[in-house]
Amino acid sequence: METSTSGSLGSLSQGDKEDCSSSTTIHSTTSDDRFQARAFLKVTSFPEVLTCESFDVKLCLCSLILKDLMLLDTELRKEKHVMFIQVLKIYLTDLYHKKKITDDLFKKILLIQENDFEELQKQLDSRLQNTEMSGAHNSEYQTLEDLERKEREYSEHVIDNMEAFWKQTDKAQQAFLDQSKCSSAKATKIRMDLTEKMIAVESLLSESQDLQATDIQERLFNWELMVKMIDSLKSYIPEECKCRLNAVSNILDHLTVKNNLSVRQKEELLTDLHKAFWEQLAHFSNECIQQSKDLILKRLECRAKKREVFKHRQKAEQGSLLSKTFHNKDVHDFLKAYHELLEKHRQAQWDLEEEDDCESTEAVAELYKELYSQASHALADLVTELFLQTLPVVTSLSVRECELLKEEWQENLVPQLEKWETHRQRRWKLFQEQLLQEKKLWIKEYALSAVMQKHLSEKQEKIIQGVVSRLGCLSDESVNYILQKHRLLVCSVLRRLTLRRVGMAALARMRLSRKKSLLQELREQHTLQKGSSLCQDEDQWQLQNAVESHILEEEEKLEEETQQTHLEFHHQLVTEMQEALQFLQQHMEQVIGQTLLQHARREAGKKSSDDGQDFKERLVEAAVESVYGTSNNINRLVQNYYQQLGKITEGYEGKKLQQLKSLQAERGERNRLRKKEENELALKEKQTKGLLNISSTVHQRMVLQQKKVLSQFELRQQIRLESLKQKLLGLHHLETELENQLKEAEQDFVSELAALARVPMAMKKKPSKKSKPAGEKTNSKRKTFQSPESADKGDSHENTQEPPGPISGLCRGRLQSPCEGETEPRKNSKMLEKRGNSQDW
């Protein structure tokens, strides 16, 4: 009810003679900025809204929706933290039982993680408290502008907290894996299992969030129905005052026409009755406000007590479940049981609040009906006093005649009340239709949100698949871990953005609530006036057409403003989405970097475990002490080996250059064909340009041009990636061929050296303390005789840098001039001393 009590009574004596034109304009004197800065009551529960002014009802209800969404987000975030700690505890317990970690380490890791998560929550609470206090000049009231700012800052803080949480979980996993006695394969498996379990957690939370968000939106519609019912009850007495006063005014007018009453007397009687009605209506309004507030206050106190009892019992049930012991195979059972328990608690709390909301509404409705009955009897007594006591005194009418006038007044009052009841039912039906339209709009927006979420998820999946495919060197386990980690982060980000989108829809509804309410009021008045007067003259018909045209004009303005508001919030959501995806990208860069680092360490460990090292060391020792090998023979053997390496590297560089030229030529040919196709397509578009300019709008042409540019960019990028992939495969093939040639040259050199020193090759199979089983032999010995220049840069055979290690010592010893009087074994012994303790081949 937009008008005040005094305003509704100010035209009571005019009956149905109001000018329709006074309600055909949506006033724009209050700008949108002033509307956003308008303070409205800050409520914490629905029953408080029942005592608010009608103008603030929609704002208050939507603010409660935002509060429920924030509470849901907080509960799900705490649930996720608890689940991670419990899953981590289960894996730590398993490692402890297998003697992989000590009891002190087990307790230390858990304590550190619990403290870190508590610190994260404290930081978030502190930031949210600062956000709540900033800009709050009055703790009892708030503005739409402040609410939008708080929601925006809340979203930023939650995204930062989410980023910190995932960093902390990675840190926790790395900490306990580093300090445990797990192998690399076992550590990788534990990481994958933890990630898989957290994906299951995110799936449970996402499903729960969607259901809860739907229930919250449905609750808003139920709230609006209950508030509308209370508002309808509030309007009973003002409308009845209007009908009663109109009926009295008609009878007094009739008496004035018959000269039973003068005009002055009639005006005095109407003024006194109007004043008495006003006093009764004011008393009714004050009693409604005061008694309803007292009633709501008592019910809220009872609700708070019930909530405390619920929380105490729920906390005990959660503690009982968390105190149970679970094993690795029971992790999914634990997650399901804990989530179902919290869902049960949330549903119980939800049912308690809904039941209390309905009971509070019914209690207020009964109160208003009781007060209405009292006020109605008081108004009837005033009219009876007028007819039976005042009129016999101021007129010459008898008491019997006055009683007949009272009966006539009652007969005239009934059709007016019936007419008002018909109008009330029509308003209620129009309100329900409007609510149904808003429900359909919300369902459409929710479906659009689901489509966008699916599109974003598929796009991110495509991106990470492309990144992993370009790496190409990781094992299947590492690739699966990266994909699972990315899927986990995407689920977390999308779940947060989905909730943010629901909140933005509520904020957009608040922005448009004022104009929607005024337009709905205009529609109701036009519909009621159109239905009440079936026979219309020319003036009324023109007025009705003018009103309909004005309504259509205002609807177009509202539609335009609605699109602009939704576009503004959409841009804001896209900005926040980009920031969240930036966090996701940075985090995945760290994950991929760590995975590549671990892969490189494993590969380095494999190459360093060369099982032929001991044989080579024994061969060098035998060759040095052998009397069969002279310095000239060994020098010639080494020089031949260097020449062979030079030929191999020279051939590698030639093949490499030839392959690069071939790839460049193929790429040039593909570019030529692509440009030819683009030119043909451009010529075809130029021929149809005139038709496109006529039949398409500017926006459609812009969209087509964007699609064209994006498709060309994707095509060029695909060609470039294919070219790089072919280049990589070719170079990898050449590298494998080079490695095989180097191994063959090395084997030939070792065989010749063994033959020269009379060392049997069977020594290679002789077991030693340092050698490993045959199944663990490495496949690569590129570093054996390959100088840095020849291996990395492919220098020619003229580079005669000596290989390091025992052979280097052997070559240096054999090339030295022997001292006079020394025998060959003596010289070999000196060379052995000069060789030192080198362990490299």
Side-chain angles (χ1 to χ4, degrees):
M1 197 175 66
E2 297 296 335
T3 55
S4 63
T5 306
S6 59
S8 64
L9 284 175
S11 59
L12 292 182
S13 59
Q14 299 180 11
D16 294 327
K17 300 177 182 179
E18 297 95 338
D19 185 5
C20 297
S21 62
S22 62
S23 301
T24 57
T25 303
I26 296 181
H27 301 288
S28 59
T29 55
T30 303
S31 65
D32 293 337
D33 294 336
R34 288 181 59 188
F35 174 71
Q36 286 186 264
R38 184 187 186 279
F40 59 94
L41 188 64
K42 186 185 295 185
V43 294
T44 58
S45 61
F46 168 72
E48 299 177 41
V49 182
L50 298 175
T51 61
C52 294
E53 296 181 9
S54 298
F55 185 81
D56 295 338
V57 163
K58 283 188 177 293
L59 299 179
C60 292
L61 291 179
C62 289
S63 68
L64 286 178
I65 291 299
L66 295 174
K67 177 177 172 293
D68 287 344
L69 292 174
M70 189 179 299
L71 180 61
L72 173 63
D73 183 52
T74 302
E75 290 178 351
L76 295 180
R77 182 167 56 254
K78 290 181 179 179
E79 180 179 349
K80 181 172 69 174
H81 290 188
V82 172
M83 283 183 168
F84 176 79
I85 289 291
Q86 291 303 313
V87 171
L88 184 63
K89 182 179 179 180
I90 292 173
Y91 279 94
L92 288 175
T93 303
D94 181 68
L95 293 176
Y96 171 69
H97 289 157
K98 293 180 180 179
K99 307 299 183 181
K100 298 292 185 180
I101 58 175
T102 62
D103 182 58
D104 293 338
L105 182 59
F106 172 78
K107 296 178 180 178
K108 178 183 177 182
I109 293 176
L110 274 184
L111 182 61
I112 290 176
Q113 299 315 313
E114 291 175 356
N115 292 338
D116 288 343
F117 284 149
E118 287 181 4
E119 184 63 26
L120 283 180
Q121 189 60 40
K122 288 180 181 179
Q123 292 177 3
L124 179 61
D125 293 339
S126 176
R127 292 181 179 180
L128 296 181
Q129 183 67 23
N130 294 335
T131 299
E132 184 68 25
M133 295 303 296
S134 61
H137 304 291
N138 192 328
S139 59
E140 296 182 0
Y141 291 88
Q142 59 185 344
T143 64
L144 180 55
E145 184 179 5
D146 284 341
L147 201 56
E148 290 182 5
R149 176 187 56 80
K150 290 176 183 178
E151 285 292 313
R152 184 170 58 252
E153 293 180 2
Y154 174 80
S155 180
E156 294 173 358
H157 295 328
V158 169
I159 291 292
D160 293 340
N161 179 266
M162 181 174 62
E163 179 181 1
F165 170 77
W166 290 120
K167 287 182 178 179
Q168 184 60 39
T169 57
D170 289 349
K171 180 181 177 182
Q173 295 178 38
Q174 192 63 41
F176 91 82
L177 290 176
D178 289 343
Q179 300 179 57
S180 65
K181 300 176 183 178
C182 296
S183 62
S184 176
K186 180 65 175 177
T188 302
K189 185 177 184 305
I190 292 177
R191 283 195 187 93
M192 291 185 66
D193 289 344
L194 282 172
T195 306
E196 180 184 351
K197 301 305 183 294
M198 292 310 296
I199 290 176
V201 169
E202 281 293 340
S203 178
L204 291 173
L205 298 182
S206 180
E207 182 180 356
S208 177
Q209 177 180 285
D210 291 342
L211 293 176
Q212 286 285 103
T214 304
D215 291 341
I216 289 174
Q217 188 67 34
E218 189 67 30
R219 170 186 273 186
L220 176 62
F221 297 133
N222 295 334
W223 280 348
E224 292 194 13
L225 285 172
M226 289 188 283
V227 169
K228 188 68 175 179
M229 182 186 70
I230 297 298
D231 281 344
S232 179
L233 292 175
K234 286 181 182 179
S235 65
Y236 273 19
I237 284 298
E239 290 294 337
E240 187 170 328
C241 287
K242 178 180 176 181
C243 293
R244 289 177 183 272
L245 194 57
N246 285 337
V248 171
S249 177
N250 291 334
I251 292 177
L252 294 181
D253 288 340
H254 184 66
L255 292 177
T256 304
V257 172
K258 290 184 176 182
N259 294 325
N260 292 328
L261 197 65
S262 64
V263 175
R264 181 181 177 184
Q265 289 174 331
K266 184 194 74 169
E267 291 296 335
E268 289 178 354
L269 291 175
L270 285 176
T271 301
D272 293 340
L273 187 61
H274 190 185
K275 182 179 179 182
F277 273 28
W278 160 250
E279 292 175 353
Q280 286 296 328
L281 184 56
H283 176 73
F284 168 76
S285 301
N286 293 334
E287 286 297 316
C288 285
I289 294 174
Q290 188 59 44
Q291 293 191 34
S292 60
K293 284 185 177 180
D294 295 340
L295 177 63
I296 293 301
L297 185 60
K298 291 180 181 179
R299 296 201 62 86
L300 290 178
E301 291 177 355
C302 294
R303 175 188 286 195
K305 292 179 181 178
K306 290 181 181 179
R307 184 178 297 171
E308 287 299 322
V309 174
F310 264 62
K311 284 185 178 180
H312 183 72
R313 185 170 68 241
Q314 292 169 359
K315 188 175 182 180
E317 292 178 358
Q318 294 176 23
S320 175
L321 179 61
L322 295 177
S323 62
K324 294 181 180 180
T325 302
F326 293 91
H327 302 288
N328 282 357
K329 61 181 180 180
D330 303 327
V331 174
H332 281 293
D333 294 337
F334 162 73
L335 295 178
K336 183 178 179 181
Y338 186 70
H339 180 69
E340 287 179 353
L341 179 63
L342 294 187
E343 281 290 285
K344 174 185 172 184
H345 292 169
R346 277 192 286 267
Q347 189 61 43
Q349 184 72 26
W350 182 274
D351 294 340
L352 172 66
E353 293 178 357
E354 283 205 330
E355 182 181 358
D356 190 73
D357 290 343
C358 293
E359 291 178 356
S360 298
T361 304
E362 292 174 359
V364 172
E366 291 297 327
L367 174 64
Y368 282 5
K369 289 178 181 179
E370 181 181 351
L371 293 175
Y372 162 73
S373 179
Q374 297 175 3
S376 180
H377 284 94
L379 295 176
D381 292 341
L382 290 174
V383 175
T384 301
E385 181 182 352
L386 173 66
F387 281 108
L388 300 183
Q389 296 181 13
T390 306
L391 281 182
V393 175
V394 299
T395 63
S396 58
L397 298 175
S398 63
V399 175
R400 178 57 185 167
E401 291 175 330
C402 292
E403 289 178 353
L404 293 175
L405 290 175
K406 180 176 176 293
E407 292 176 359
E408 181 183 353
W409 167 80
Q410 290 177 339
E411 292 176 357
N412 294 335
L413 178 63
V414 171
Q416 292 190 35
L417 292 177
E418 290 177 351
K419 180 181 178 181
W420 171 78
E421 179 63 22
T422 302
H423 286 183
R424 189 186 68 82
Q425 292 178 359
R426 287 182 180 176
R427 287 193 182 97
W428 182 260
K429 185 177 180 180
L430 291 173
F431 173 76
Q432 289 179 320
E433 291 176 356
Q434 179 197 8
L435 210 58
L436 183 61
Q437 292 296 326
E438 291 182 357
K439 277 187 177 182
K440 292 180 179 178
L441 179 61
W442 177 80
I443 293 175
K444 181 180 178 181
E445 291 178 350
Y446 187 80
L448 178 62
S449 175
V451 171
M452 292 181 62
Q453 183 175 345
K454 182 180 179 181
H455 169 72
L456 185 60
S457 178
E458 292 176 350
K459 183 178 180 181
Q460 288 296 315
E461 186 73 18
K462 183 179 179 181
I463 290 174
I464 194 63
Q465 289 282 0
V467 172
V468 172
S469 65
R470 291 173 204 169
L471 294 176
C473 60
L474 297 177
S475 62
D476 293 340
E477 292 79 6
S478 299
V479 170
N480 290 334
Y481 171 69
I482 291 175
L483 295 178
Q484 280 189 340
K485 193 69 177 180
H486 182 264
R487 192 176 301 115
L488 173 61
L489 298 180
V490 169
C491 290
S492 182
V493 168
L494 291 182
R495 186 170 63 82
R496 173 59 213 157
L497 293 176
T498 300
L499 203 63
R500 174 63 170 147
R501 185 181 180 87
V502 177
M504 284 184 171
L507 291 173
R509 189 169 186 171
M510 295 176 74
R511 272 200 196 181
L512 301 169
S513 62
R514 167 177 160 267
K515 290 190 175 181
K516 280 187 175 181
S517 297
L518 295 176
L519 181 59
Q520 181 64 17
E521 182 182 355
L522 185 60
R523 288 172 180 160
E524 289 179 359
Q525 291 181 0
H526 173 62
T527 302
L528 294 177
Q529 290 168 1
K530 187 176 181 181
S532 60
S533 54
L534 300 177
C535 299
Q536 299 178 349
D537 55 18
E538 183 67 22
D539 294 337
Q540 289 177 336
W541 183 78
Q542 292 180 357
L543 180 60
Q544 291 292 337
N545 288 339
V547 172
E548 290 177 358
S549 300
H550 181 68
I551 291 176
L552 292 176
E553 180 182 349
E554 294 297 336
E555 286 177 347
E556 292 176 358
K557 291 181 180 178
L558 179 61
E559 180 65 23
E560 181 179 355
E561 184 174 349
T562 301
Q563 292 181 0
Q564 184 178 358
T565 302
H566 287 171
L567 184 62
E568 179 181 345
F569 280 113
H570 177 72
H571 287 165
Q572 186 176 339
L573 181 65
V574 169
T575 301
E576 295 180 9
M577 184 184 301
Q578 291 174 346
E579 295 174 356
L581 294 179
Q582 182 68 23
F583 136 71
L584 187 147
Q585 177 182 342
Q586 293 174 357
H587 196 87
M588 285 308 303
E589 287 173 357
Q590 296 176 1
V591 171
I592 294 175
Q594 288 292 334
T595 307
L596 289 173
L597 182 60
Q598 294 169 4
H599 173 76
R601 287 173 178 172
R602 286 195 298 269
E603 291 298 318
K606 291 180 181 179
K607 291 183 180 297
S608 64
S609 59
D610 188 357
D611 61 336
Q613 187 69 22
D614 292 339
F615 168 74
K616 295 172 185 177
E617 291 178 359
R618 290 194 302 274
L619 176 60
V620 170
E621 292 175 358
V624 168
E625 296 181 0
S626 174
V627 296
Y628 301 102
T630 64
S631 61
N632 291 332
N633 292 338
I634 293 180
N635 183 47
R636 185 173 62 254
L637 190 62
V638 171
Q639 290 298 328
N640 290 337
Y641 177 64
Y642 279 163
Q643 290 178 3
Q644 184 68 17
L645 292 182
K647 292 179 180 179
I648 292 174
T649 54
E650 184 178 2
Y652 167 76
E653 287 296 328
K655 291 180 180 179
K656 178 181 176 181
L657 182 61
Q658 183 180 1
Q659 186 173 24
L660 291 178
K661 289 181 178 180
S662 175
L663 290 175
Q664 187 174 5
E666 291 179 3
R667 184 177 178 182
E669 180 64 20
R670 283 196 299 267
N671 289 335
R672 187 183 67 80
L673 294 176
R674 177 179 55 80
K675 289 182 179 179
K676 183 178 179 181
E677 292 177 358
E678 290 180 356
N679 292 335
E680 292 177 355
L681 182 62
L683 182 61
K684 188 175 180 180
E685 289 179 355
K686 188 175 181 181
Q687 293 175 353
T688 58
K689 185 176 180 181
L691 181 61
L692 184 64
N693 290 337
I694 296 174
S695 61
S696 302
T697 62
V698 176
H699 177 70
Q700 290 175 335
R701 293 198 299 272
M702 288 178 62
V703 171
L704 291 175
Q705 184 66 20
Q706 288 176 356
K707 290 182 179 179
K708 175 185 173 183
V709 173
L710 288 175
S711 63
Q712 290 177 353
F713 173 77
E714 291 178 356
L715 179 61
R716 292 176 183 177
Q717 186 182 35
Q718 189 66 28
I719 293 175
R720 189 180 299 111
L721 290 177
E722 288 294 331
S723 176
L724 292 175
K725 189 176 293 185
Q726 291 182 4
K727 179 180 178 181
L728 181 63
L729 291 175
L731 293 178
H732 181 70
H733 176 72
L734 290 178
E735 184 180 353
T736 303
E737 183 179 350
L738 174 64
E739 188 174 354
N740 293 333
Q741 291 177 351
L742 291 175
K743 286 181 181 180
E744 185 178 353
E746 174 194 343
Q747 187 64 34
D748 293 342
F749 175 76
V750 170
S751 301
E752 293 177 5
L753 181 61
L756 182 66
R758 303 295 195 275
V759 177
M761 291 296 292
M763 285 180 59
K764 188 173 184 179
K765 298 182 181 179
K766 186 178 180 179
S768 66
K769 294 181 180 179
K770 295 183 180 180
S771 64
K772 295 185 179 180
E776 298 183 15
K777 291 183 181 180
T778 58
N779 297 324
S780 173
K781 298 186 180 64
R782 277 175 65 184
K783 297 188 293 183
T784 306
F785 293 104
Q786 192 175 358
S787 65
E789 288 79 10
S790 64
D792 297 336
K793 301 180 183 179
D795 290 345
S796 65
H797 65 277
E798 296 178 358
N799 186 352
T800 58
Q801 182 177 349
E802 295 180 0
I807 291 298
S808 176
L810 174 64
C811 298
R812 286 194 301 269
R814 289 300 187 186
L815 293 176
Q816 287 178 354
S817 299
C819 298
E820 292 181 2
E822 289 183 332
T823 62
E824 194 71 12
R826 178 63 178 168
K827 288 188 287 182
N828 292 343
S829 177
K830 285 189 177 182
M831 283 187 285
L832 180 61
E833 293 176 0
K834 291 180 181 180
R835 183 177 60 85
N837 295 323
S838 175
Q839 297 296 323
D840 296 330
W841 179 240

